[in-house]
Amino acid sequence: MIVGEQKPFEEIWNMIRQYRRVLVLGCNTCVAVCHSGGEKEAHILSEVIQIKASSTDTSIEVNHMGLVRQCENEYIDDAIHNLQTYEAILSLACGVGVNFLSQKIGSIPVLPGLNTTFYGSVEEAGVFAEMCVGCGDCILHLTGGICPIARCPKSIMNGPCGGTNNGKCEIGVDTDCAWYLIIQRMKALGILHLLEEIQPPRDWSKSFHGGPRRMFVSHVMLNKREDANK
Amino acid sequence: MPKEILDKPFMSSQITTDDNDKPVYSPCRYECPIHTDVQRYIHLISNAKYEEAFETIRSVNPLPSTCSYICHHPCENACRRGKIDAPLAIRHLKRYAIQKATEYRKKNRLRPKQTNGKKVAIIGSGPSGLTVASDLADLGYGVTIYEKFSKLGGILALAIPTYRLPREALKEDIDDILAKGVETVLNCEVGKDISLKDLIAKYDTVVVATGLMKSRNLNIPGIDGQGVLLAIPFLIDVFSNDNREFKLGKRVVVIGGGNVAIDVARTAKRLGSDVEMVCLEAPDEMPAWSWEVDEATQEDIKINHRWAPKEIVRKDGIIEGLVVKRVTSVFDSNGRFNPEYDEHITDFISADTVIVSIGQTVDTTFLNDSPLIVDKQGKLVFNNHDYLSNHPKIFYSGEIVTGPGSAVSAIAHGHKVASSIHQRLNDSKTDLSFVEIDKIGDIPETVRNVIKARPRISISLLDTNIRKKTFIPVEIGYDDASALREAKRCRGCGGGAVVDIRKCMACMTCKRICPYDAPVVSFYSRIRQEYCQACGLCVSTCPSKAISMRGMDVESFRKDVIGLLSEKNSNIQTPPFLLYTCITQGLNPEIPQDIKVVSLDCLSRLDVLDIITPFNYAIRGVLLLPCNDDCKYHGVDYWLKMKVLHAKKILSSLSIPQDCIQIIFNNKSELSQNINDSSLNALIQRHKEGLQ
């Protein structure tokens, strides 16, 4: 799941204060789960903006609503006419939603209300933890299901490094050493010997380093229909 | 009942629910023959909104005051709290609300509707006749009631003892109905003073609602002669003719085990006699309501169970006593009334007066010179679907066709018949009868175990020694604080959380926060209604605003808060405070003027939004006064603190001081149980000063 957190209000205010009619647009999937960007947070934020506006004698009309997701055509299409009545949209979606909506909306600025932070799990109610960076070349079968790229600050493939300290990382006592976890876990699984195998260098071009990625699933692509008919 | 009442939304139609998530009635509402929205008026009472509570009751019940005294309250028997500690005292709360709204009611009688030109005559003014009259008047018919006696109300006015139903209560109900333009012809017996034929010539429809006014008699040796009375004429004499000097003998035996028999016995007691009852049934078989039996026993009325009258022994025509024989069984294997006796086991009860109270039957005077027919067994002929008789202009209503029952059942039947008449006269397919929906399931044991017990607050009864001698009401009503505490016991069954499945993304928040394990989450959350206790924690925490409440319209609640904050009050120089509380403030008129009070059922329903939004208006701060120790839910304190922390964090980004939001913790040491206590004001004052 994509995790994000709301930007400091001051930053949001500086983005929107110049507009007279603003929509705070929640996204009711990933970022709602982390209580940052769902319709509820959109509602709260719109109230806070109003309070700020009246306390600074700024005239802004603020409304709020939520879409199921801001990263798919159909959900946006259903609401587009309404969205286009605003001067600016403050999106509480992740960066994907902000990008996608910007692309679709025409000449209206879509502003980010969140900092999109990571792909994470819900460790417990209210606690979210980063576990994957979407590198495009998964090696979790070689590391006991614990990702050294996402969970080691150095993303090293042959850890631990010298900064490991009683299972914790040198960057802070709240951060586990990923390689410590990997070794404990592989021991428990009886596969520690896998670490002795020499691995080929990683192909980072599959990651973001190869440029923005696209994936084609041709069997559900509508524009392939004509090819199939031939 | 008027159409607009039936259209009252049960819940918002704006949301899409799971197919298994149909709205259900709470058991109290389901079991009420007229489906009174009990939960709603109890909720309104606990918010000191007595006028709205009264209107909720009146919307389906033309005789609310009467029912508040004599209803057999099937709602209470069904109350799910019964399985936790004791059912809610619903009837007593109803009475409390109605009494609180007395002045309002006098000023707000419903007026006649624009007439539709059609005229209906109703014969009899008992509960069903009055209901038909009331409903048809609401629908614009010209209604005239023909009543044999000199007063309206039928059995209610004539024979129900005044210690159970004070006549002022009945009068309030009747005044309501008469205000709708219903006309009356008193002292007019149809079949004698005027015929049904005359009526059908004059009216579009005639309703026969004459009830069961004739007492059945026994056929045993010694029954004829002085000293034997029949129940209904006896009660009419005492209560309608106000004959409180009625000379009964010293020792009275009442034959019968029904509610009328109990009324007769308790009345005889009040007239100064020693009273015994004889009934066929064992205690648990008696048709009389158990609480009536209890009250009779408390008044030293002895009940002889499983005895049947055999002979009245007379000497020189004067009654010496009653010979009774043993009853071996009352019901046959099919549960039908079919008593069997052992003639050899007998007993003798000495008495000088015998009152026979073994049931009532139809007085058929109205059949004289009428087109109505009876079948071979002498029974009235009518259609069981719409209660139309063999004549196309004559309907039957009430106990004359349903058999003996309660007042509220007669009212329910009146509604049905009014609906049939409206359909027939308007050639209308609109079905006006009540929407029948399912009732909620039992509270699961796991939930029962976590609900705090809270004893029922009973109303007090008149001292038995006094009540044996007087005809004033036995039941003494609630005081304000008791009524409030009792109202707060309501669990809000069926009025809890419901998920809009178009918005839910199965985030698990509701499941994690629910103290009763009500949500089941798969592709979306479904909140099991029988588990849900309507605390509202999930509603106020759902990140996609997918959860609403069936029993509370959160959006209109917010509108009301904004309305209150937008009000201008010229008496107040500085901006006011907003106080949210689940301790009702209607009882505390001394709250300082600069505090605007919003009460709600539980602060658990408050959202961070509700704490922040008020700062959009000129206020100095938000105060939250929960009931703390007294809270009927779980975890509310903790979540309230969390919400306040969150709200403070948000407000700090606006440079609003954090102490502008205060939770007023009242525990027993700080605030006595008595909410009228001035300590509450002192407490509020102190917290308020802390904000300035």
Side-chain angles (χ1 to χ4, degrees):
Chain A
M1 188 191 68
I2 297 172
V3 178
E5 59 187 336
Q6 256 182 45
K7 283 178 173 291
F9 181 73
E10 219 29 59
E11 197 182 332
I12 291 175
W13 177 246
N14 287 332
M15 275 189 253
I16 60 159
R17 60 196 300 180
Q18 56 180 304
Y19 302 104
R20 300 286 75 86
R21 199 171 128 77
V22 174
L23 178 72
V24 184
L25 185 60
C27 184
N28 273 339
T29 308
C30 310
V31 291
V33 175
C34 61
H35 296 257
S36 299
E39 188 175 332
K40 162 76 162 295
E41 303 309 319
H43 192 169
I44 293 176
L45 186 56
S46 71
E47 292 291 338
V48 175
I49 292 169
Q50 260 155 25
I51 296 173
K52 179 72 176 180
S54 40
S55 69
T56 54
D57 277 336
T58 315
S59 150
I60 300 187
E61 184 192 342
V62 194
N63 291 318
H64 70 274
M65 68 179 279
L67 295 183
V68 176
R69 286 196 284 283
Q70 293 181 25
C71 54
E72 295 203 44
N73 283 311
E74 289 83 349
Y75 295 120
I76 295 174
D77 291 345
D78 285 348
I80 192 108
H81 292 303
N82 183 18
L83 302 185
Q84 283 169 337
T85 63
Y86 289 88
E87 261 183 59
I89 291 172
L90 178 66
S91 165
L92 294 192
C94 68
V96 180
V98 178
N99 273 272
F100 193 71
L101 186 58
S102 287
Q103 221 163 272
K104 294 211 45 151
I105 196 87
S107 59
I108 299 166
V110 181
L111 311 166
L114 298 193
N115 290 322
T116 310
T117 39
F118 52 82
Y119 307 153
S121 64
V122 188
E123 277 190 350
E124 57 182 278
V127 182
F128 303 88
E130 180 165 22
M131 296 205 162
C132 174
V133 293
C135 72
D137 191 12
C138 192
I139 45 123
L140 283 167
H141 59 298
L142 300 175
T143 58
I146 293 160
C147 179
I149 297 165
R151 297 169 72 176
C152 165
K154 292 177 177 165
S155 298
I156 51 176
M157 288 296 294
N158 49 357
C161 74
T164 188
N165 181 12
N166 291 325
K168 296 294 175 188
C169 173
E170 65 183 337
I171 68 158
V173 288
D174 294 334
T175 307
D176 291 323
C177 169
W179 274 103
Y180 175 82
L181 295 177
I182 289 167
I183 288 164
Q184 292 302 319
R185 175 78 178 147
M186 291 179 79
K187 259 190 203 166
L189 293 173
I191 54 169
L192 195 58
H193 61 276
L194 291 181
L195 290 178
E196 289 167 11
E197 283 177 32
I198 304 297
Q199 300 298 333
R202 280 180 58 74
D203 178 2
W204 289 105
S205 72
K206 292 178 181 174
S207 179
F208 175 69
H209 310 277
R213 290 163 278 179
R214 265 212 165 84
M215 183 176 86
F216 301 94
V217 181
S218 54
H219 66 278
V220 291
M221 285 170 68
L222 299 179
N223 58 9
K224 292 277 177 189
R225 215 182 285 161
E226 281 175 18
D227 297 347
N229 286 342
K230 279 175 192 167
Chain B
M1 61 255 86
K3 185 85 177 74
E4 61 265 29
I5 288 159
L6 296 163
D7 285 345
K8 185 161 73 78
F10 187 75
M11 60 174 228
S12 166
S13 54
Q14 301 299 307
I15 67 169
T16 307
T17 61
D18 181 271
D19 283 347
N20 295 318
D21 218 2
K22 295 278 180 267
V24 289
Y25 279 148
S26 54
C28 48
R29 186 171 188 185
Y30 182 85
E31 295 298 339
C32 175
I34 51 176
H35 300 312
T36 309
D37 195 345
V38 175
Q39 199 177 92
R40 180 170 159 75
Y41 77 74
I42 300 266
H43 171 80
L44 290 164
I45 291 171
S46 66
N47 286 301
K49 292 182 178 165
Y50 306 115
E51 293 167 5
E52 282 177 62
F54 166 70
E55 288 295 7
T56 304
I57 300 166
R58 177 159 75 170
S59 69
V60 290
N61 189 344
L63 302 171
S65 290
T66 302
C67 285
S68 78
Y69 277 91
I70 61 159
C71 190
H72 69 300
H73 50 70
C75 49
E76 291 187 29
N77 306 347
C79 175
R80 297 203 307 171
R81 251 216 113 101
K83 292 220 169 114
I84 298 157
D85 35 41
L88 224 75
I90 299 170
R91 180 167 64 85
H92 298 154
L93 285 170
K94 169 185 275 177
R95 195 163 119 198
Y96 173 78
I98 295 171
Q99 280 170 350
K100 279 284 187 183
T102 305
E103 286 311 307
Y104 164 83
R105 183 182 191 183
K106 285 185 198 296
K107 288 186 198 128
N108 292 278
R109 306 263 186 225
L110 300 178
R111 311 313 303 184
K113 290 274 156 65
Q114 195 172 8
T115 174
N116 64 14
K118 291 181 177 131
K119 285 162 62 189
V120 177
I122 295 164
I123 309 171
S125 64
S128 102
L130 288 174
T131 303
V132 179
S134 171
D135 284 358
L136 293 181
D138 285 341
L139 292 164
Y141 291 86
V143 180
T144 308
I145 295 177
Y146 287 81
E147 170 56 52
K148 169 181 164 182
F149 289 87
S150 61
K151 46 186 91 173
L152 295 172
I155 283 284
L156 302 172
L158 301 168
I160 299 282
T162 49
Y163 61 83
R164 288 214 290 131
L165 175 64
R167 295 303 186 261
E168 308 82 71
L170 176 62
K171 183 175 178 301
E172 278 301 318
D173 292 341
I174 290 175
D175 284 352
D176 255 10
I177 296 166
L178 295 182
K180 295 178 182 179
V182 171
E183 291 179 0
T184 59
V185 181
L186 299 177
N187 300 307
C188 180
E189 186 172 8
V190 176
K192 210 165 101 187
D193 304 316
I194 189 172
S195 75
L196 255 175
K197 263 191 190 151
D198 300 335
L199 292 181
I200 47 180
K202 254 176 95 178
Y203 294 91
D204 295 289
T205 279
V206 179
V207 183
V208 180
T210 50
L212 303 173
M213 283 295 284
K214 215 162 120 183
S215 278
R216 287 181 197 278
N217 204 349
L218 277 169
N219 186 13
I220 56 170
I223 193 81
D224 297 321
Q226 70 175 71
V228 176
L229 302 171
L230 292 176
I232 296 294
F234 164 69
L235 290 171
I236 291 179
D237 205 16
V238 177
F239 294 109
S240 180
N241 304 338
D242 289 328
N243 186 0
R244 301 292 148 76
E245 303 306 316
F246 201 99
K247 286 285 172 264
L248 283 175
K250 266 180 75 79
R251 287 187 50 77
V252 173
V253 174
V254 178
I255 300 172
N259 289 307
V260 176
I262 298 277
D263 283 350
V264 167
R266 295 178 73 188
T267 301
K269 187 81 191 179
R270 283 162 171 76
L271 291 168
S273 307
D274 283 337
V275 182
E276 282 191 43
M277 295 178 70
V278 173
C279 68
L280 307 181
E281 300 90 355
D284 57 347
E285 295 167 331
M286 282 177 79
W289 309 120
S290 60
W291 55 93
E292 297 272 347
V293 176
D294 291 345
E295 287 180 15
T297 324
Q298 287 159 13
E299 291 166 13
D300 294 331
I301 291 165
K302 186 182 169 196
I303 305 176
N304 299 287
H305 294 285
R306 286 260 175 163
W307 292 103
K310 188 177 166 79
E311 181 186 354
I312 294 172
V313 181
R314 291 175 186 269
K315 190 177 174 190
D316 303 330
I318 308 293
I319 296 176
E320 291 202 309
L322 178 71
V323 179
V324 289
K325 57 187 177 185
R326 183 44 98 194
V327 174
T328 52
S329 70
V330 183
F331 302 101
D332 64 18
S333 54
N334 294 323
R336 274 191 294 252
F337 181 74
N338 188 13
E340 290 192 24
Y341 312 102
D342 184 337
E343 302 281 345
H344 303 295
I345 307 176
T346 60
D347 201 351
F348 179 77
I349 301 168
S350 68
D352 46 28
T353 307
V354 174
I355 308 180
V356 182
S357 181
I358 55 164
Q360 286 81 244
T361 180
V362 179
D363 178 346
T364 52
T365 310
F366 66 85
L367 289 175
N368 298 335
D369 198 16
S370 86
L372 295 176
I373 55 169
V374 291
D375 66 11
K376 280 177 197 158
Q377 283 105 41
K379 289 187 175 156
L380 301 170
V381 174
F382 61 89
N383 177 337
N384 235 330
H385 171 67
D386 58 8
Y387 304 94
L388 183 66
S389 71
N390 61 288
H391 189 279
K393 284 174 86 174
I394 306 176
F395 285 82
Y396 288 115
S397 181
E399 293 191 348
I400 194 168
V401 283
T402 62
S406 60
V408 70
S409 307
I411 294 172
H413 196 256
H415 283 318
K416 250 186 219 166
V417 173
S419 167
S420 303
I421 293 169
H422 185 54
Q423 280 187 62
R424 191 171 175 83
L425 289 188
N426 279 280
D427 196 22
S428 151
K429 293 204 166 41
T430 324
D431 185 1
L432 288 181
S433 50
F434 287 100
V435 183
E436 298 289 345
I437 62 176
D438 255 355
K439 78 167 161 179
I440 193 168
D442 276 345
I443 299 192
E445 203 179 336
T446 49
V447 180
R448 239 182 279 158
N449 293 339
V450 295
I451 295 175
K452 298 174 204 165
R454 225 188 215 198
R456 170 176 164 128
I457 303 187
S458 299
I459 56 164
S460 37
L461 300 181
L462 206 61
D463 183 82
T464 44
N465 286 320
I466 300 172
R467 75 188 202 221
K468 280 188 280 188
K469 294 172 200 142
T470 169
F471 288 91
I472 63 171
V474 170
E475 293 176 341
I476 301 166
Y478 277 128
D479 59 57
D480 293 339
S482 309
L484 173 66
R485 285 185 67 75
E486 183 60 17
K488 287 272 181 189
R489 290 178 70 235
C490 178
R491 299 301 302 184
C493 308
V498 59
V499 176
D500 184 343
I501 60 173
R502 290 172 310 174
K503 285 188 164 184
C504 175
M505 72 316 191
C507 74
M508 295 281 172
T509 302
C510 54
K511 180 149 185 70
R512 290 177 188 137
I513 206 166
C514 178
Y516 310 103
D517 197 25
V520 179
V521 184
S522 53
F523 296 108
Y524 47 78
S525 172
R526 191 172 84 76
I527 293 171
R528 296 179 288 184
Q529 296 192 58
E530 66 277 19
Y531 285 69
C532 177
Q533 298 298 304
C535 69
L537 277 177
C538 60
V539 182
S540 58
T541 324
C542 174
S544 48
K545 295 218 297 183
I547 310 180
S548 50
M549 284 189 85
R550 295 181 199 269
M552 177 188 179
D553 182 346
V554 178
E555 294 308 318
S556 71
F557 165 78
R558 290 193 177 135
K559 271 188 201 139
D560 289 349
V561 174
I562 289 170
L564 182 75
L565 292 171
S566 315
E567 272 172 20
K568 292 269 178 286
N569 189 338
S570 53
N571 296 335
I572 305 170
Q573 301 303 318
T574 48
F577 293 88
L578 179 68
L579 173 75
Y580 285 115
T581 181
C582 43
I583 300 175
T584 191
Q585 297 303 307
L587 302 175
N588 198 334
E590 286 160 28
I591 292 259
Q593 271 203 331
D594 63 345
I595 293 185
K596 296 199 171 190
V597 181
V598 174
S599 45
L600 66 167
D601 208 40
C602 180
L603 293 197
S604 57
R605 297 178 181 185
L606 278 188
D607 195 332
V608 171
L609 202 56
D610 300 309
I611 305 173
I612 289 176
T613 308
F615 288 94
N616 247 318
Y617 299 82
I619 57 161
R620 275 183 291 169
V622 171
L623 298 163
L624 301 127
L625 175 63
C627 52
N628 294 123
D629 293 354
D630 221 18
C631 184
K632 64 180 171 183
Y633 294 125
H634 281 262
V636 174
D637 275 8
Y638 173 79
W639 292 114
L640 189 63
K641 271 185 230 168
M642 289 299 149
K643 285 172 191 167
V644 165
L645 281 175
H646 187 182
K648 285 182 170 182
K649 197 174 142 202
I650 292 171
L651 288 183
S652 70
S653 66
L654 294 167
S655 312
I656 293 175
Q658 299 222 353
D659 58 7
C660 271
I661 308 169
Q662 292 262 350
I663 303 177
I664 303 176
F665 284 101
N666 77 77
N667 51 39
K668 279 178 185 137
S669 59
E670 259 192 301
L671 179 67
S672 83
Q673 286 275 315
N674 185 352
I675 46 164
N676 281 318
D677 199 310
S678 57
S679 57
L680 176 63
N681 283 347
L683 196 66
I684 294 172
Q685 200 64 37
R686 212 170 63 235
H687 279 268
K688 205 181 86 179
E689 279 157 11
L691 298 192
Q692 285 163 347

